[in-house]
Amino acid sequence: MAKQRSRRRRGPRLLDLPGIWLGQHLQSAMATLRRLLETPLPTGMTVAVIGISLALPAALYVLADNLRTMAGGWDQTAAISLFLQYETNDGDANRVAADLRGWPEIAQVQMITREKALDEFRALGGFEEALEQLKNNPLPVVLAIYPRTEHSPPAQLETLQTKLLELPEVDFARMDTLWLQRFQAILDLIQTGVLLLGGLLGMGVLLIVGNTIRLEILNRRIEIEIMELVGATAAFIRRPFLYAGAWYGLLGGLTAWLLVTLAILLLQGPVSRLASLYRSEFPLSGLGLSAMGIILMGSVLLGLVGSWIAVNRHLRGAEPG
Amino acid sequence: MIRFEHVFKRYPERGEALTNISFEMKVGEMAFLTGHSGAGKSTLLRLIGLLERPTRGQILVNGRNLATLPRRQIPYHRRQVGMIFQDHRLLPDRSIFDNVALPLVVTGLGQKEVGRRVRAALDQVGLLKRERATPVALSGGEQQRVGIARAIVGRPPVLLADEPTGNLDPDLSREIFELFERFQYVGVTLLIATHDLALVNSMQHRTFTLDDGRLLNDTGRW
């Protein structure tokens, strides 16, 4: 009976509890944010460290993403460039092309006539004067061979190359996709690097937040003791520290996003200039919406887990001696 | 309301602090706890507030057996026991209002109700006008009254005070003790540790005397 009476004294009615719980959380979250902003320098330093840590893998991700976009444009390149004997004229070349189109391995054949090749060469720039000196066109007819996808892997491509070289009209055959595949491998390497670096620096963020929260707990030891004295539950005392961790994570994630976006803005000019030297355009793509979402969610989670570790180690709740 | 049954408390480094303590206090009773310093007064109070657990014996507070109370329940027990300390234990960077509100805030009470009850408590100790001040701006006596307001704001049935007038002059001490008497009239059970024997003798209340951890004298009958 006594127990029942004391339970009623605890205060709020059962039906009000969800509202109270939500209200307490909202109040705690906002109070924690205010507290963090009251000390802008230490908060800013922690946030900056988190932001830089997260910006590194994010920037690498953006780099890989942009390289992939760039490589995407090259997927249309022919797999094999077939240089015909210099003597072969356009008519003969056409006949060879038609013949090749009938091969099962080949999806498409595109003919680049000698005139067209010369025009393209001129367009590349820098060679006009050299070309002026020549009496006649030094370029052979080139057949661009696009294999069917099942014949694209290096081994099959090499078989096809050998077969093509046996044709009497063919001078030599160059495989264009090999270096593309190497490039692809490099991209995969970078991507693994993103994961590794992200994992490593994520651990760093965990430790940074954990340590910051640990110091905060030590700083507020007296306050925590008094709260325990007047009947605060362990959950109530932990809550502001967990929210602080989440806020650190969120602010750090936003900083990382800001840093990467700023870097892209700064790099866009030089990249455009470089691209224009290649008579090309290359608009850099930034962090997409989904990538940003992942970074923010990840950073909040890291902050939360970091503070949770610290809170679990240092706030065990009221413990009578 | 408070019952001790053969309670022992032993510290590994200091030896026995309390030896075979048994007594009972009824609801609405006010008692003094006296004795030389180191006699175990603070330890006894700390056992009631579950700041420490006894080595042996049982303590019942408001029908709760503290020996079997799980750790998770400790905060709820402390809300039933208001505690007042000689050094006040106030938060120096918070206003008087916030300090007094703390026991209510931790229960999740609504802001309006918190404001109402905090002002009622401050009114009782005569500090309603100082709610915006910080503790350092107050005198020792005023700080102690803030500590008292914080202890009573949650309307606990039990109030413990550990040397509440240790640093105050006789007039202020009497004022504080008369404040305690008013709480007794509304049914609060009070146990006040003090070595101010002159004041204790001038007031007609039950008095426990501790000597080296033993309950030497109990003027009350039970």
Side-chain angles (χ1 to χ4, degrees), chain B residues 5 28-30 32 35 47 55 61 64 84 86 107 110 121 128 133 155 158 192 215:
Chain B
E5 289 172 5
E29 202 174 351
M30 173 165 165
F32 291 118
L47 290 176
T55 314
V61 178
R64 250 185 247 250
I84 297 155
Q86 181 174 5
T107 64
L128 196 51
R155 294 175 194 159
V158 176
I192 302 152
L215 193 55

Side-chain angles (χ1 to χ4, degrees), chain B residues 15 20 33 36 42 78 86-87 91 103 106 169-170 176 184-186 199 220:
Chain B
N20 199 11
L33 183 61
H36 60 89
S42 297
R78 292 206 180 142
Q86 181 174 5
D87 58 357
L91 291 169
V106 303
D169 60 52
I176 300 270
Q184 189 206 353
Y185 295 146
V186 295
L199 206 59

Side-chain angles (χ1 to χ4, degrees), chain A residues 115-128 130-131 134 138-139:
Chain A
E115 283 69 37
K116 205 172 143 208
L118 192 63
D119 286 347
E120 272 183 24
F121 204 54
R122 276 208 191 93
L124 271 177
F127 294 105
E128 291 94 339
L131 290 171
L134 295 169
L139 300 170

Side-chain angles (χ1 to χ4, degrees), chain A residues 189-223:
Chain A
L189 198 71
I190 293 178
Q191 198 145 44
T192 313
V194 169
L195 287 177
L196 267 173
L197 202 67
L200 223 71
L201 291 169
M203 286 287 282
V205 169
L206 220 63
L207 295 176
I208 292 160
V209 173
N211 197 44
T212 308
I213 297 295
R214 184 182 68 86
L215 289 175
E216 178 78 5
I217 289 171
L218 294 180
N219 269 338
R220 293 170 67 183
R221 197 86 257 183
I222 295 166
E223 188 184 341

Side-chain angles (χ1 to χ4, degrees), chain B residues 66-83:
Chain B
L66 300 192
T68 57
L69 199 68
R71 227 180 79 172
R72 280 187 315 109
Q73 291 292 322
I74 292 173
Y76 302 103
H77 168 68
R78 292 206 180 142
R79 292 176 194 180
Q80 307 268 300
V81 180
M83 284 181 271

Side-chain angles (χ1 to χ4, degrees), chain A residues 35-310:
Chain A
R35 207 185 172 85
L36 289 179
L37 296 179
E38 267 168 24
T39 53
L41 198 67
T43 302
M45 264 155 51
T46 305
V47 166
V49 172
I50 297 168
I52 291 166
S53 303
L54 293 174
L56 277 168
L60 205 58
Y61 167 81
V62 169
L63 175 76
D65 196 42
N66 276 301
L67 287 176
R68 197 173 297 283
T69 316
M70 193 161 81
W74 300 332
D75 273 347
Q76 302 308 310
T77 331
I80 297 174
S81 295
L82 212 56
F83 292 82
L84 300 186
Q85 301 284 357
Y86 184 68
E87 303 78 36
T88 318
N89 58 32
D90 286 0
D92 289 337
N94 254 327
R95 196 176 37 74
V96 177
D99 183 30
L100 287 177
R101 282 190 189 101
W103 287 23
E105 300 96 327
I106 292 169
Q108 202 195 331
V109 177
Q110 197 187 353
M111 194 170 99
I112 301 158
T113 62
R114 301 170 64 162
E115 283 69 37
K116 205 172 143 208
L118 192 63
D119 286 347
E120 272 183 24
F121 204 54
R122 276 208 191 93
L124 271 177
F127 294 105
E128 291 94 339
E129 277 183 36
L131 290 171
E132 291 301 317
Q133 304 288 317
L134 295 169
K135 289 191 192 77
N136 41 25
N137 187 353
L139 300 170
V141 178
V142 177
L143 295 180
I145 311 286
Y146 299 85
R148 290 187 194 280
T149 26
E150 59 267 30
H151 290 278
S152 289
Q156 274 89 333
L157 221 53
E158 256 170 72
T159 321
L160 181 61
Q161 186 192 21
T162 328
K163 209 168 148 191
L164 287 167
L165 278 171
E166 281 162 11
L167 295 173
E169 295 89 348
V170 172
D171 184 12
F172 72 96
R174 198 186 67 202
M175 288 220 276
D176 291 332
T177 49
L178 208 57
W179 71 270
L180 203 66
Q181 278 163 348
R182 286 188 193 123
F183 187 75
Q184 198 65 43
I186 291 170
L187 272 183
D188 289 346
L189 198 71
I190 293 178
Q191 198 145 44
T192 313
V194 169
L195 287 177
L196 267 173
L197 202 67
L200 223 71
L201 291 169
M203 286 287 282
V205 169
L206 220 63
L207 295 176
I208 292 160
V209 173
N211 197 44
T212 308
I213 297 295
R214 184 182 68 86
L215 289 175
E216 178 78 5
I217 289 171
L218 294 180
N219 269 338
R220 293 170 67 183
R221 197 86 257 183
I222 295 166
E223 188 184 341
I224 291 165
E225 252 170 51
I226 291 175
M227 290 212 288
E228 284 175 352
L229 224 51
V230 300
T233 57
F236 183 89
I237 291 170
R238 285 162 174 228
R239 205 171 292 145
F241 295 105
L242 293 177
Y243 273 115
W247 281 120
Y248 277 133
L250 183 68
L251 294 174
L254 284 172
T255 307
W257 171 77
L258 205 72
L259 285 174
V260 172
T261 306
L262 214 69
I264 289 166
L265 282 177
L266 287 174
L267 283 173
Q268 183 61 71
V271 166
S272 292
R273 235 168 295 139
L274 188 66
S276 75
L277 289 178
Y278 284 100
R279 309 248 160 157
S280 167
E281 275 175 41
F282 192 67
L284 286 173
S285 62
L287 282 168
L289 217 62
S290 63
M292 190 181 157
I294 287 170
I295 287 179
L296 287 185
M297 262 183 353
S299 63
V300 169
L301 205 70
L302 283 173
L304 207 57
V305 172
S307 59
W308 189 81
I309 291 169

